[in-house]
Amino acid sequence: MSEKIGIYVCHCGSNIAGTVDVEEVARWAGERIEDVAVARDYKFMCSSLGQQMIEEDIKSKGLTRVVVAACSPSLHEKTFRRACEKAGLNPYFLQMANLREHVSWVTKDKAEATAKAKALVSAAAERVKRHRPLEPTFVDVNPATLVVGGGIAGIQATLELANAGYHVYLLEREPSIGGHMAQFDKTFPTLDCSACILTPRMMEVGQHENVTLLTYSELEEVQGSVGNFKVKIRKKARYVNEDLCNGCGICSEKCPTKVIDDAFEAGLGQRKAIYTPFPQAVPRTPVIDVDACRWFQQGKCGVCKKVCPAEAIDFEQKDQFVELEVGNIILATGWKMFDCSRLPQYGYGRLPNVYTSMEFERLCNAAGPTGGKIVLRDGKTEPETVAIIHCVGSRDVKCNSYCSNVCCMAALKFGHLVLEKTDAEVYSFYIDIRTPHKDYEEFYQRLLGERMHFIRGKVAEVTDAGRVPFENGKLIVQCEDTLLGRQRRVPVDMVVLMGALEPQSGAAELARICGISRGESGWYTERHPKLDPVATMTDGVFVAGVCQGPKDIPASVAQGAAAAARVQGMIAKGKVTIEPITARIDEERCSGCRTCNGLCPYGAIEYDEDKSVCRVNAALCKGCGTCASACPAGAITAAHFTDEQIFAEIEGALWDAGGAPAVEAARPREGNAPLQKQSWPTGEPEQIST
């Protein structure tokens, strides 16, 4: 029985119609393509009126197949599938032709673009005739959620879900939650105390009945799929019994060993060998630094164990592995600071009074190593001049080509704090000032009205080699002032480097464990940059905060809440839909070679040791077709992308060639058997579509 196909060509405003003769494509499709019952063009097919047009035609004209020639299927395929489904047609009897990204945006000549559009519409029509009805499957969703990362984004996501009545496991690899925000002094643009904002939320998380804190722990393994993940977590040994410890702090107070605190105090302060990261830490349970502890290094001391009133010190404690079952995973692993010593021209690590932005945060903090006093490395001298250098490691093709988003505002904040706490002159060396968010421009204008000097130009070098007497004993910042059009040498006492935000160490390994991808810069890749910024291509795994890309605190909080809302919606429904476009393995033909296991980017193929065959986990499979193309036995078929459909699509695209390819090429092969040599027509075609 022949099909009744409806073809709908979208103008997309002028995105498509500006290059493609849309009316001609629709007219041609209605006259030249077999089995076409109706062919229309419309200004915006994705609009409610466009979708209504499709629904009415399906009902009134008895359409059995639909082709929509518009923009990318990744944007609107679900939209048009819903329209088909509402009209009673199986949603997988739809095929989209991408005339925007594949034609109008990449082709200048209108005649060529129109010819190519006809080819793509013809290809889609021939393909959709071979579509088979597919039905999605449903799986139950475990209401528990794993949040990886205890910074502000992870805390926000945790509280949103916990307050909604769902259990959350909050995983943090450091001894305390809080993340980088716990290190900050004030937050821009309102200059609120960072600890005053963060600490109450940390306490709320630590005391919440629906939250299980797993600090000083790391994610080791993820199995299963959306709705039913099985995760393995390694709880590192603290050498302190969490159930017995009351957080009194006597052990840390009496510990005789001091070491440089390279973590929380950014190398400016000291801590003991047994310590809590900061006074407001959650949980309050301390941890022993094995590399610094005399007991572990020399077999001596043990003072902490002797003085602990709760007898909580346990030198024999080992790492533990915890296995949990959760329905969804939210990754909020944050960022790390760019290593400024990678740019030796700025003198970090060589010139003592060159600081990173994180070191300066601790210098300004009232709870920091200097009690909030801005002083030089000698600990007592107040600087008379301070230089703040923007974009250190950012917007630099040799380091990170992206903008780190927060550096301009953080530099303005630092300038304000210096002016507030000292009588120093402040110089800000910038490439471009970027203050795009709410009240940020107002904060910039405020600093312009204060005593802060702005010099536009990329700094070439920071040196202590003075050329004239007044430069001796100073740090010289050499740059080109692009507004004055000349080179400048500015002598200062202190330099602050605004280091780039980079993906967290271990981001690549965590991406592998969770089956998600990363972009060129190393940040986790979202499903869609505009329409789905918190989901990933792996269903049930979401991202929030800076792990997805540089952003400030409000944006991180918003993403944490957004990821929680997505998870909460899935939990509330109770079931999640599994896309039926997946690979299928014919076990009778499978040789058990396991070629597909190593190739599957989603870890969706499992090997049955007993039967020596492979099986596809449909909940994990994304239908990419990698396994089907590589299977040497031809045992794997990709649903919705069968050989019959693909070859029919190719034949449709060649509608304007001198002669059609042999019909056998479009016929289905048995499984994925090797292609037989085809007889192609000879002679030159009259026209070949570009």
Side-chain angles (χ1 to χ4, degrees):
M1 184 182 74
S2 62
E3 305 295 346
K4 286 187 177 181
I5 304 174
I7 294 180
Y8 301 89
V9 188
C10 183
H11 292 242
C12 198
S14 61
N15 276 304
I16 296 174
T19 308
V20 176
D21 188 342
V22 173
E23 293 87 349
E24 167 60 17
V25 173
R27 182 202 61 78
W28 172 87
E31 294 178 358
R32 297 288 300 274
I33 300 178
E34 286 188 33
D35 302 327
V36 173
V38 59
R40 304 182 189 276
D41 64 274
Y42 189 66
K43 198 76 172 177
F44 293 104
M45 284 305 309
C46 61
S47 67
S48 58
L49 292 176
Q51 295 177 60
Q52 186 178 345
M53 180 191 302
I54 295 174
E55 294 174 32
E56 290 176 353
D57 283 350
I58 291 172
K59 294 176 181 177
S60 63
K61 299 183 182 299
L63 300 183
T64 61
R65 300 289 190 273
V66 172
V67 171
V68 177
C71 55
S72 170
S74 65
L75 190 63
H76 278 309
E77 188 170 44
K78 288 185 178 180
T79 301
F80 295 116
R81 280 183 181 172
R82 282 196 297 268
C84 292
E85 191 170 24
K86 286 174 66 177
L89 186 67
N90 187 287
Y92 296 93
F93 284 157
L94 163 80
Q95 179 66 19
M96 288 192 69
N98 189 349
L99 301 192
R100 190 176 70 178
E101 285 84 347
H102 289 178
V103 183
S104 63
W105 282 1
V106 295
T107 311
K108 294 182 179 180
D109 183 88
K110 189 159 188 173
E112 289 184 359
T114 302
K116 185 175 181 181
K118 291 178 180 179
L120 293 186
V121 171
S122 175
E126 293 303 320
R127 186 191 205 281
V128 80
K129 294 176 187 178
R130 277 82 177 174
H131 280 195
R132 298 289 179 265
L134 298 176
E135 296 295 337
T137 56
F138 302 91
V139 296
D140 294 329
V141 178
N142 188 322
T145 302
L146 174 69
V147 177
V148 183
I152 186 60
I155 288 173
Q156 182 68 30
T158 299
L159 288 176
E160 295 282 352
L161 288 166
N163 289 336
Y166 305 117
H167 198 84
V168 182
Y169 298 96
L170 178 56
L171 178 67
E172 170 57 51
R173 70 178 181 180
E174 297 298 328
S176 168
I177 60 174
H180 287 298
M181 190 175 172
Q183 296 175 276
F184 297 163
D185 178 33
K186 297 184 183 298
T187 61
F188 55 76
T190 54
L191 299 177
D192 297 280
C193 170
S194 181
C196 298
I197 300 171
L198 180 66
T199 302
R201 297 213 159 197
M202 292 169 57
M203 293 299 296
E204 186 178 355
V205 166
Q207 298 172 0
H208 207 293
E209 59 182 3
N210 290 330
V211 177
T212 298
L213 269 182
L214 297 166
T215 54
Y216 208 49
S217 304
E218 294 188 4
L219 185 62
E220 292 281 316
E221 186 178 312
V222 174
Q223 294 182 337
S225 55
V226 56
N228 296 282
F229 289 108
K230 294 181 179 179
V231 300
K232 180 187 286 187
I233 295 166
R234 179 165 65 94
K235 289 191 66 177
K236 294 179 285 187
R238 288 177 178 263
Y239 304 104
V240 178
N241 190 317
E242 296 179 70
D243 296 328
L244 297 178
C245 179
N246 58 18
C248 66
I250 295 176
C251 56
S252 182
E253 179 185 337
K254 300 297 183 182
C255 177
T257 304
K258 290 185 177 181
V259 294
I260 299 295
D261 187 352
D262 290 320
F264 189 78
E265 295 293 357
L268 296 184
Q270 293 183 321
R271 58 166 171 77
K272 298 295 184 70
I274 182 169
Y275 67 99
T276 52
F278 52 97
Q280 303 86 7
V282 175
R284 289 277 299 154
T285 309
V287 61
I288 294 179
D289 181 351
V290 173
D291 295 330
C293 180
R294 296 182 187 180
W295 177 270
F296 286 97
Q297 297 302 316
Q298 303 170 11
K300 301 177 181 179
C301 191
V303 169
C304 55
K305 187 168 186 176
K306 296 173 185 175
V307 301
C308 179
E311 298 183 350
I313 307 299
D314 181 5
F315 292 132
E316 303 300 320
Q317 195 177 74
K318 304 293 182 183
D319 291 1
Q320 296 178 332
F321 288 92
V322 179
E323 294 186 357
L324 304 172
E325 293 185 359
V326 296
N328 293 276
I329 299 172
I330 298 175
L331 302 181
T333 51
W335 55 279
K336 69 178 179 68
M337 175 66 67
F338 171 77
D339 180 3
C340 293
S341 64
R342 289 170 54 188
L343 297 174
Q345 65 268 33
Y346 293 139
Y348 179 71
R350 177 171 52 87
L351 303 175
N353 289 312
V354 177
Y355 293 78
T356 66
S357 54
M358 188 55 73
E359 289 175 340
F360 195 76
E361 285 281 4
R362 299 308 302 156
L363 207 61
C364 292
N365 199 305
T370 63
K373 296 179 180 178
I374 299 176
V375 293
L376 301 181
R377 295 279 184 184
D378 62 11
K380 56 184 179 180
T381 306
E382 188 175 282
E384 296 179 357
T385 46
V386 177
I388 302 174
I389 301 176
H390 295 227
C391 300
V392 177
S394 296
R395 302 182 67 190
D396 186 341
V397 293
K398 295 180 180 179
C399 301
N400 300 297
S401 59
Y402 54 82
C403 171
S404 287
N405 193 286
V406 299
C407 304
C408 286
M409 286 299 296
L412 294 174
K413 179 186 74 172
F414 290 161
H416 172 82
L417 293 176
V418 173
L419 294 171
E420 183 181 64
K421 296 184 177 186
T422 73
D423 294 323
E425 292 284 321
V426 182
Y427 295 87
S428 183
F429 297 84
Y430 70 96
I431 301 175
D432 297 292
I433 293 291
R434 295 183 171 182
T435 56
H437 302 303
K438 183 179 180 181
D439 296 333
Y440 285 11
E441 182 66 18
E442 181 184 347
F443 190 71
Y444 173 41
Q445 294 299 325
R446 174 180 176 179
L447 267 295
L448 286 173
E450 296 181 2
R451 294 178 290 114
M452 192 166 175
H453 307 292
F454 291 89
I455 299 174
R456 187 178 187 273
K458 191 173 180 65
V459 172
E461 183 183 21
V462 176
T463 179
D464 59 353
R467 294 180 182 174
V468 292
F470 68 82
E471 291 183 349
N472 292 336
K474 298 281 188 175
L475 296 173
I476 314 302
V477 181
Q478 183 161 324
C479 75
E480 178 188 8
D481 189 328
T482 61
L483 298 180
L484 295 180
R486 64 183 178 87
Q487 293 285 327
R488 293 186 64 176
R489 288 170 60 86
V490 181
V492 298
D493 298 316
M494 175 188 287
V495 172
V496 181
L497 304 178
M498 304 306 300
L501 274 59
E502 291 189 326
Q504 190 65 267
S505 57
E509 176 63 14
L510 186 60
R512 184 195 64 78
I513 291 172
C514 295
I516 64 173
S517 58
R518 301 193 303 152
E520 184 179 355
S521 300
W523 305 105
Y524 294 144
T525 303
E526 64 282 353
R527 185 182 291 270
H528 192 284
K530 297 180 181 67
L531 302 179
D532 212 349
V534 296
T536 67
M537 291 303 293
T538 297
D539 292 337
V541 179
F542 299 87
V543 290
V546 184
C547 68
Q548 184 255 345
K551 55 182 65 69
D552 58 9
I553 292 171
S556 296
V557 170
Q559 265 202 329
R566 292 291 301 275
V567 170
Q568 190 174 336
M570 296 171 68
I571 297 172
K573 288 173 65 177
K575 294 182 181 294
V576 64
T577 305
I578 302 298
E579 183 76 19
I581 302 177
T582 59
R584 299 170 185 175
I585 297 178
D586 182 350
E587 295 186 12
E588 293 184 0
R589 302 187 65 182
C590 179
S591 64
C593 68
R594 305 182 71 173
T595 300
C596 54
N597 292 57
L599 291 174
C600 179
Y602 303 100
I605 302 179
E606 304 163 350
Y607 182 68
D608 187 329
E609 297 281 356
D610 296 331
K611 295 187 176 181
S612 298
V613 296
C614 293
R615 292 194 177 93
V616 175
N617 183 338
L620 289 175
C621 179
K622 300 300 175 188
C624 69
T626 302
C627 57
S629 62
C631 179
I636 306 178
T637 302
H640 211 57
F641 289 90
T642 64
D643 290 341
E644 179 185 17
Q645 293 163 352
I646 297 300
F647 280 110
E649 190 171 12
I650 293 171
E651 184 176 354
L654 297 174
W655 70 273
D656 58 348
V663 176
E664 276 69 27
R667 292 178 179 169
R669 293 176 281 139
E670 185 178 348
N672 267 14
L675 281 170
Q676 301 297 317
K677 185 176 180 180
Q678 305 295 334
S679 299
W680 296 86
T682 59
E684 293 295 324
E686 295 178 7
Q687 178 186 0
I688 296 180
S689 177
T690 56

